[in-house]
Amino acid sequence: MKKIYFLFLMALLPLLASAETLEINGINYNVNPEAKTATVISKSSGSYSGKIVIPQTVSFKNIKCKVISIGDYAFEYCSGLTSVTIPSTVTSIGTEAFYYCTNLTSIKIPNSVTSIGNYAFYYCSSLTSINILSSVTSIGSDAFYGTPWYNNKPDGVVYAGKMLYKYKGTMPSGTKISIKNGTLGIANYAFSDCSGLTSVTIPNSVISIGSYAFRNCSNLKTATIGNSVTSIGSYAFYGCSSLKTANIPNDVTKIEECSFYGCSGLTSVTIPNSVTSIGSSAFYGCSGLKSANIGNSVTSIGYSAFYGCSGLKSANIPNSVTSIGSYAFYGCSGLTSVIIPNSVSSIGSYAFYNCSGLKSATIGNSVARIEDYTFYGCNSLATVMLGNGINYLGYYSFAYCGQLTDFYCFAENVPSCYYSYYYGYYTFYNSYINYANLHVPAVSVSSYRSRSPWSGFKDIVAIETVKVKLNKTKVTLEKGETVKLKSTFTPSTFPDRSVTWKSSNKKVATVTSSGKVTAVNTGTASITCTSNVTGAKATCKVTVGYGSVTLNTTQAYIEKGKTITLKATVEPTTLEDKRVTWTSSDEDIATVSSSGKVKGVKYGTATITCTSKATGASATCKVTVGKVVVSITDVTIKKSRGVTLEATVYPTSLTDKSVKWTSSDKTIATVSAGGKVKGIAAGTATITCTSVVTGLSATCKVTVLATSESRSTDGSNDNVTGIENLEEAPVATEPYDVYDLSGRKVLNQTTSLDGLPDGIYIVNGRKILKK
């Protein structure tokens, strides 16, 4: 026994060490040395007096602990307290922290504080000045009640910093309120019991609605809630019996307990996908509620969430829900059918108690127990289907279901039922199962026939093997595209065709409760469709591609210094974001702008890539920067005589350097496939040399004379004239070929005329004098 006690103390030591109470300079603190934080706490009621300066940090065993809060009741009834300095490290002021500090005259709340608790400055009757900064986003009920600061405010809406603190005075009937823009939150009890309020407009700046904020506003008909609201406090719209619609913004993550309790005029509610839980009694007594669209992120439906919603005709339970609380749909007499998806593992007792209009109920495979009174009094219930995971049915779980005709149980092992030693089995009490058929797996028929209370059914029928099939087993989508999958059952007469859809990888593809698949990102995912009651499955493999990008050309040729513009087409056409990025594999050869404009920089080849920002798909264009150089660009020849032109094709890396020669006027000069020009008649013609690969070209101006005075350029005594405007050889900026005046190449791909005798040469079609 001593050893056990010692072990208990050892286990408790870390907990005892995690928080210490100490007094420093007359102020009590609760210190957590592990977290290095401290909270101001009360000594005893009314024990603080005079001027108090709270430091930013306190030391405990050489550990500096930051003071982060003024705790609940810390300075309550300290009537001798005259001033308090709160450090900028404090983020919260607790409940009744300065309750009845009647001689406190002013307080400066630093901009580090985000929350002020209930009754924090209640009846601080000398407190005339309070600075509340925009950092405060939560104010508790009656936090400033009885202060001159509040008493001196005129009747109507009172703001504290950027918070709507309270409506002061008696509100006239028919009042409509639009909360001013810039307001961050609505304090607890702000409009509580304002029966004169008929409508309220909450701007997008508001992020929180406090608890009991509109409690018992019995004539409130419309509440327009801004899209920025992230939290709606417990009891926020409690007793707003005239409220007909409630828009829950997309950023709200939880519907707190009793948020819409007693809103009997509410007819419909849509719970967005952002919400993960529906709190206890959230819609308790909303008798006018006809439909509840529950978002597919909700994981829990709380205790009595829809208790007494007698007008509720449909409530979709998405396959994100894992638990349904006790009394969740108690007395929802308008419900006609309910399908519990496979995701749900627990259903609380009394969950569907007295749902008198319920005709069919399907419980998924993950539910192991039907608790006490779950379907008690569902006197219209005709068909029930229990999944193959069921192993226990509780006390009165299907009692007083007098219309039962077909009860399906897919568990091969016979589930046990509640048994009383004195009264026997009460699971199906007063449900007249002796008039109903029990459907069970074929291998288990004899087992059910031998066990009570199952043996009490009129007949026990073997269930045929049930199969599920999808309309598609494989599909390829682009990012953003959707496809609808449909399930069919064999045999076709199978009465329950409810299924649960699941994606193996939501980052690649998602699926809704109706089988709509949306491609999210590249990759593969398996979409599985599972029968809620039999467990039969079918799958579809979804492959998500990148989409596509196509360019107006995949190969382009440009000259150095020239530009072309590439155009991109982005698919799928349904994409909202059609933006692309452009890159060059070698900007020393070709650059590209953000609009697809390509510029040649130097001879060579570069790859231009266009990539979709939305899908990551890309396309490329091979850009060749080059030119064609003709050995002579301007020549004069005699009629019937000729000259031979030579061509150099850039870039030199091209494997195919073939060219095509053409004449602008064959009646004046012709040109052969090898570049030999012949004068036909007096006049001028342009000889064009075009690269077969790149399409780039160069020209030579040919002047044909009728005279016979000429000097041969090819050994046939033809004269080449026009040697004029001689220039010094320029500094080379690129390799070039050098020709003599006869058109014969004398240097190949050089950058200097060194080594050649003085004379006239042709470089890039220009006459160059070397001397």
Side-chain angles (χ1 to χ4, degrees), residues 549 568-570 577-582 594 610-614 617:
V549 175
T569 301
V570 180
D577 186 357
K578 298 288 183 70
R579 294 176 299 164
V580 295
T581 57
W582 298 88
S594 59
C610 176
T611 305
S612 166
K613 281 192 173 184

Side-chain angles (χ1 to χ4, degrees), residues 270-339:
T270 298
I271 298 168
N273 291 336
S274 58
V275 173
T276 58
S277 63
I278 301 173
S280 300
S281 302
F283 297 95
Y284 187 109
C286 295
S287 55
L289 191 63
K290 295 180 180 179
S291 64
N293 298 311
I294 302 172
N296 56 22
S297 294
V298 172
T299 59
S300 63
I301 299 174
Y303 178 95
S304 298
F306 294 93
Y307 186 111
C309 295
S310 56
L312 190 63
K313 297 185 180 299
S314 64
N316 66 304
I317 300 173
N319 56 21
S320 56
V321 173
T322 59
S323 65
I324 298 173
S326 298
Y327 298 88
F329 294 93
Y330 184 110
C332 293
S333 55
L335 277 179
T336 57
S337 68
V338 63
I339 297 173

Side-chain angles (χ1 to χ4, degrees), residues 91-95 109 113-122 130-145 149-150 158-166 183-191 208-213 231 233:
T91 59
S92 65
I93 298 173
T95 297
I109 299 173
V113 172
T114 59
S115 66
I116 298 174
N118 296 331
Y119 310 104
F121 297 94
Y122 189 92
I130 307 173
N131 71 311
I132 301 170
L133 301 178
S134 60
S135 59
V136 175
T137 57
S138 174
I139 298 179
S141 60
D142 287 327
F144 305 104
Y145 185 86
W149 175 86
Y150 176 69
V158 177
Y159 291 91
K162 290 195 174 182
M163 290 289 294
L164 192 157
Y165 167 58
K166 196 172 184 64
T183 302
L184 295 180
I186 302 172
N188 297 349
Y189 291 88
F191 294 97
S208 64
I209 299 173
S211 298
Y212 300 90
S231 66

Side-chain angles (χ1 to χ4, degrees), residues 588-604:
D588 289 336
I589 292 174
T591 60
V592 62
S593 71
S594 59
S595 60
K597 188 175 183 180
V598 181
K599 183 179 181 179
V601 178
K602 77 173 185 180
Y603 304 132

Side-chain angles (χ1 to χ4, degrees), residues 10 78 115 144 204 366 391 425 453 477 480 548 567 626 668 692:
M10 291 298 292
C78 290
S115 66
F144 305 104
N204 287 333
S366 299
N391 58 41
Y425 292 97
L477 301 174
S548 65
K567 294 182 179 180
I668 294 174
V692 173

